[in-house]
Amino acid sequence: DMFEHSTSFGAEYLYGNVIRVEDGAYKKIVCEDGTEYEAKAVIVATGTQERMMNVPGELENVGRGVSYCAVCDGAFFRDQEVVVIGGGNSALEEANYLTQFASKVNIIIRRDVFRADSIVQNAIKDNPKITVVTKHVPVRVVDDGIFPYIGLDPATSFLEGLGILDERGYMIVDENCETKAKGIYGAGDVIAKKLRQVVTATNDGAIAAQHAFHEIKGI
């Protein structure tokens, strides 16, 4: 619905893997296949990518037993035993969610303490379906029902060199969602902020688009 809404007003939907954005009066967007685009403004909304465990059996089983979204795939593991990798808020919250479907949820952490907030830890302790395995690190995926939650990385490698990223690679923007490189904006999970949810992402996009429009029109 959102796609049809945008294209009905004339937006053009194009495909390509962006490898570089060059600053200037007109921004140049360079794609992997050599295609180049120029624009007065660029709004980056590439989000984040799940951090991989980088162990044998993981990549070839993504979508076939290895999932990075409990909400999306939890129901496929009804009455089965599953494993959640990670000790942060996301890992524990997703583990708690999975108990609605799974017969048992094992949480595996590399240390003996969680990084999650105490309120989230308490919810885990009170759930009889959850077992915590400490001081263990996955070395290979041999079965299905694996949910890694070891962190997220912003998809911003194509913006390196512009001086608009923080030390973790997230975009630094002002109240207009604009970076210090005038005309380059960030929206959604890709920017440095505390709350990454759909409602804040759409807010960012609206602010960035309106400001870019006004700047281009000289309003």
Side-chain angles (χ1 to χ4, degrees):
D1 288 345
M2 288 187 287
F3 172 78
E4 291 175 355
H5 187 205
S6 63
T7 53
S8 69
F9 286 96
E12 194 175 356
Y13 194 80
L14 305 171
Y15 293 88
N17 183 30
V18 178
I19 59 171
R20 188 170 71 254
V21 174
E22 298 177 5
D23 196 10
Y26 277 82
K27 319 303 172 189
K28 182 185 289 186
I29 299 91
V30 182
C31 294
E32 193 173 43
D33 63 0
T35 304
E36 296 182 356
Y37 302 96
E38 286 191 339
K40 290 185 177 180
V42 176
I43 301 175
V44 178
T46 45
T48 54
Q49 298 170 318
E50 293 84 3
R51 202 170 290 162
M52 304 286 286
M53 295 185 293
N54 293 318
V55 298
E58 178 185 19
L59 191 59
E60 55 266 41
N61 286 296
V62 172
R64 293 189 295 271
V66 175
S67 172
Y68 302 92
C69 180
V71 174
C72 309
D73 300 324
F76 292 118
F77 299 94
R78 191 176 298 277
D79 300 322
Q80 297 182 45
E81 186 171 345
V82 300
V83 173
V84 172
I85 314 295
N89 282 339
S90 294
L92 269 59
E93 288 168 358
E94 297 300 289
N96 210 27
Y97 175 83
L98 284 166
T99 59
Q100 299 178 69
F101 310 102
S103 58
K104 181 181 179 181
V105 178
N106 299 294
I107 301 176
I108 296 179
I109 57 176
R110 65 172 59 239
R111 299 187 299 169
D112 57 355
V113 292
F114 288 115
R115 293 178 288 107
D117 297 335
S118 57
I119 189 170
V120 182
Q121 293 188 45
N122 291 335
I124 295 300
K125 292 176 183 176
D126 295 337
N127 197 314
K129 282 191 173 183
I130 294 178
T131 298
V132 178
V133 181
T134 62
K135 297 183 178 179
H136 278 68
V137 178
V139 295
R140 186 159 58 102
V141 173
V142 296
D143 205 350
D144 57 7
I146 315 298
F147 291 84
Y149 285 96
I150 56 175
L152 298 168
D153 293 311
T156 55
S157 59
F158 58 94
L159 297 174
E160 291 175 0
L162 294 175
I164 59 176
L165 306 177
D166 68 10
E167 67 281 358
R168 296 186 300 160
Y170 288 95
M171 297 181 71
I172 303 170
V173 300
D174 60 18
E175 67 275 10
N176 297 312
C177 289
E178 188 176 26
T179 68
K180 68 179 184 181
K182 189 171 178 61
I184 299 180
Y185 299 80
D189 288 6
V190 77
I191 69 176
K193 60 179 180 178
K194 292 183 177 180
L195 184 61
R196 292 186 172 88
Q197 292 185 353
V198 172
V199 67
T200 64
T202 53
N203 170 76
D204 300 336
I207 291 172
Q210 183 79 340
H211 189 265
F213 174 77
H214 284 171
E215 288 291 296
I216 291 170
K217 293 296 183 181
I219 300 174

